[in-house]
Amino acid sequence: MALDRERVRLAGEGEPKAQTWLVARLLPRVRKIARAFLRHSADADDAAQLALLEILRSASTYRGEASVEGWAKCIAVRAVLRFAQEERRRDRLIDRNESGEDETAPSDERASEALPRELRAYLEELAEPQRNALILHHALGHSVDEIAEMTDVSPETVKSRLRLGTAALRKKVQQDIAIGRRRSLG
Amino acid sequence: MRASTTDEDRWAALVSREARGETLTCEEDDFRRRFEDRHPETSGERGLWEALGALGDPRGGEAEMSDEAMLERVLSSHRAAFVRPRSKPLLRRSVAGGFAAIALAAALVLAVAAELVGPFGSPDPGEDKKLDGIEEAPKNHALPPPPLDVDVAVDADAGVDAAEAREDAQEAESPLNSLEPGEPKRIEAPSKEGRGNPASESADDLLKSAQVHLGEGRTASAIEAYKKLLARYPGSVEARVALVSLGQLSLGGGDAAGALRYFERYLAGSGPLGMEARLGRIQALRRLGRTGDELAAIHDFLARHPDSVHAPRLRSRLEAPPSK
């Protein structure tokens, strides 16, 4: 921990090797966060870079009270959520999905094979706070308390969002499955 | 028998954990199996939680940047921005300017709200606010040139001699340079001395003044400052930036013909805002109903900026040209 703190401190001071170490160490986790929240690969890449840049800029604030990963993931999640929110706002303006720029990542397709529709289509239908809570919990494995800290709400609120989001997701999938069965019977 | 919500939630969490590649304990695995045996009705749901657990997995293919490339870009961009502030950003898209874009967007929302009647008159009410997916400033939503993209920064149509001018223009215009690390920084208005004595206003003062006006919702004042800049310092880098801003403001105000003139004046030379100007020109031609010219402009855009974020939408437009 002390060694990590020293390296992060050096990264914060602009030491190139320490910066390289910090980015290389966090890059897979940060990319996972970005991929989880963003459908388009280019957007996920951009969000990951944005988050890594923010981590580098914040390196001088690291006090070693948590692990480097724990400290960085809060920064990364917040940066990615801001990016995703901005992208959604922009998408609403340009109506991207109706203009042919729709991309489904191969891994998303594979993962959604067992579902009547692609997972992202279901997630899009949820309220944003519920969607974010579900992704943070199920896709990224964060606890309720961690999500509460990252999203600046109480743990009770996170629990409520997870409960409502889960119920809504289940209902939508079950409805689609039922419709699909009826279709196949018909 | 219907599963209890607690058990259902635990089961869902375990399925997504497995999908994330985590190993379950024996007790957890046993619980999951028993739950699935007791509640076969949840089998259809299993795919949901598996898919959710796998949402952050690498996507494969060429759509994603490699880890090595991302590492290099992040480090280069960080060092360029905070160690050598005059260097060009290296990100594929305008990530490095993202903070500034957000800060500017917040300021510009106020501008939009404040400006109900634009100085260019209202656009045709029947005219589409969107151009087949190309983001366009809505009526009176006058925006300054967006943060610079890399493919703009390395625009091949500019000569070596223009490199320094490009960097200067980026410095003047790019939000990246108006930021402190991690937090938006307000664009400072020109000094009071400068405001009190118009003759002493430099090109940079006028550009900043225009940006401040725009940020505070005074579109007409912004346009006036941009035009003053053009008139007083026609050969300056700042004036080149003003051409694109005026083009976008004209477009937002419904003056497509005026916008086209500004964009074409900019494109007659070279500079870092080539992509923005070409995009604006396409929008203006579309507004004017000059479909043939518009499609030619799209071809030109795609040849110069094949990796632009706008490229897929423009390609789709070429595949299905509008009847208009």
Side-chain angles (χ1 to χ4, degrees):
Chain A
M1 183 79 94
L3 182 60
D4 284 353
R5 189 173 60 189
E6 177 61 9
R7 280 174 164 168
V8 177
R9 185 187 67 75
L10 288 171
E13 289 178 359
E15 208 280 310
K17 280 185 182 172
Q19 288 180 338
T20 305
W21 167 83
L22 182 62
V23 175
R25 176 162 169 173
L26 298 173
L27 193 136
R29 288 169 191 270
V30 171
R31 293 198 81 169
K32 189 178 177 79
I33 294 167
R35 287 180 186 119
F37 281 102
L38 291 147
R39 169 194 292 266
H40 300 278
S41 297
D43 290 341
D45 284 349
D46 284 353
Q49 290 176 76
L50 184 70
L52 288 164
L53 284 169
E54 184 146 336
I55 289 167
L56 277 175
R57 280 193 290 265
S58 305
S60 59
T61 67
Y62 179 61
R63 300 280 172 261
E65 290 157 355
S67 68
V68 176
E69 283 78 8
W71 161 77
K73 76 184 174 192
C74 280
I75 297 172
V77 163
R78 286 176 177 154
V80 169
L81 284 177
R82 278 199 304 274
F83 183 94
Q85 197 171 29
E86 181 65 16
E87 281 299 303
R88 294 177 68 77
R89 188 193 65 78
R90 204 175 301 160
D91 279 359
R92 280 199 293 272
L93 279 177
I94 63 177
D95 214 0
R96 174 149 67 173
N97 289 338
E98 288 182 12
S99 62
E101 195 189 321
D102 204 6
E103 171 211 334
T104 301
S107 64
D108 279 6
E109 275 183 0
R110 282 195 302 275
S112 298
E113 271 172 5
L115 294 173
R117 287 188 285 151
E118 191 206 347
L119 172 64
R120 300 232 184 230
Y122 290 111
L123 291 172
E124 289 298 312
E125 293 173 6
L126 299 180
E128 189 169 6
Q130 293 172 16
R131 178 173 60 244
N132 290 345
L134 283 171
I135 291 174
L136 286 166
H137 188 58
H138 288 284
L140 300 171
H142 294 305
S143 68
V144 167
D145 287 341
E146 286 173 333
I147 298 170
E149 187 189 345
M150 288 167 184
T151 54
D152 294 323
V153 295
S154 71
E156 286 310 309
T157 302
V158 174
K159 284 179 191 169
S160 167
R161 288 174 178 176
L162 285 172
R163 189 171 61 248
L164 292 171
T166 299
L169 260 185
R170 280 192 171 126
K171 189 175 175 187
K172 288 173 193 299
V173 171
Q174 284 165 0
Q175 277 176 347
D176 278 356
I177 289 172
I179 290 168
R181 280 178 184 156
R182 276 201 296 273
R183 279 182 187 150
S184 63
L185 287 171
Chain B
M1 186 180 74
R2 178 73 193 163
S4 76
T5 305
T6 311
D7 281 355
E8 262 188 334
D9 289 347
R10 187 179 181 208
W11 168 76
L14 291 176
V15 172
S16 58
R17 265 182 62 192
E18 272 193 309
R20 292 199 303 272
E22 293 179 23
T23 307
L24 304 184
T25 65
C26 291
E27 188 276 324
E28 288 168 339
D29 195 42
D30 187 47
F31 168 83
R32 182 186 60 73
R33 287 172 193 278
R34 278 189 286 110
F35 181 88
E36 288 171 0
D37 288 344
R38 282 201 311 270
H39 303 286
E41 76 277 6
T42 55
S43 63
E45 248 186 58
R46 185 177 171 83
L48 171 66
W49 305 111
E50 283 177 340
L52 203 42
L55 209 53
D57 285 357
R59 294 171 178 180
E62 294 178 359
E64 277 195 321
M65 192 185 290
S66 70
D67 283 353
E68 294 75 19
M70 185 176 290
L71 176 74
E72 187 183 329
R73 286 185 182 206
V74 168
L75 291 172
S76 301
S77 184
H78 180 71
R79 288 165 192 163
F82 300 110
V83 179
R84 294 185 299 111
R86 289 174 67 85
S87 296
K88 297 167 192 168
L90 294 175
L91 302 183
R92 176 167 54 187
R93 288 177 55 192
S94 53
V95 165
F99 291 108
I102 293 166
L104 275 173
L108 289 166
V109 165
L110 296 174
V112 167
E115 288 284 334
L116 293 176
V117 180
F120 295 99
S122 298
D124 178 355
E127 207 162 25
D128 292 339
K129 286 187 177 179
K130 276 179 286 187
L131 175 54
D132 285 347
I134 302 172
E135 185 169 3
E136 178 182 329
K139 184 169 70 173
N140 298 322
H141 291 207
L143 299 176
L148 300 180
D149 287 359
V150 169
D151 47 359
V152 178
V154 296
D155 199 344
D157 65 1
V160 175
D161 293 342
E164 184 63 24
R166 272 205 305 271
E167 290 198 350
D168 286 343
Q170 282 188 347
E171 191 160 74
E173 186 63 9
S174 172
L176 182 63
N177 297 305
S178 68
L179 287 178
E180 287 298 329
E183 64 176 8
K185 177 182 171 184
R186 284 178 62 85
I187 300 168
E188 289 180 9
S191 64
K192 284 182 181 174
E193 293 75 18
R195 274 188 240 159
N197 180 7
S200 71
E201 286 176 319
S202 68
D204 187 49
D205 283 342
L206 286 168
L207 184 63
K208 282 180 179 168
S209 172
Q211 289 171 335
V212 169
H213 286 313
L214 208 52
E216 293 176 356
R218 297 189 299 273
T219 310
S221 301
I223 289 167
E224 189 186 337
Y226 280 131
K227 286 185 172 175
K228 201 183 288 180
L229 170 56
L230 272 184
R232 284 195 197 162
Y233 306 98
S236 68
V237 171
E238 289 82 357
R240 305 269 306 137
V241 171
L243 286 172
V244 179
S245 297
L246 282 167
Q248 290 173 332
L249 286 165
S250 301
L251 205 54
D255 180 12
L260 184 62
R261 283 194 294 275
Y262 284 122
F263 290 132
E264 290 189 335
R265 274 176 70 184
Y266 183 86
L267 291 170
S270 62
L273 299 175
M275 190 180 78
E276 282 75 9
R278 286 184 193 98
L279 195 64
R281 183 168 177 266
I282 291 168
Q283 290 175 284
L285 289 167
R286 161 81 169 126
R287 283 285 193 89
L288 293 168
R290 291 168 53 182
T291 307
D293 290 335
E294 180 206 352
L295 297 181
I298 292 175
H299 279 295
D300 176 60
F301 182 97
L302 292 173
R304 292 171 186 269
H305 313 288
D307 298 325
S308 160
V309 67
H310 303 287
R313 287 190 293 281
L314 290 171
R315 285 193 190 98
S316 68
R317 180 156 176 78
L318 284 180
E319 288 161 9
S323 56
K324 186 177 175 180

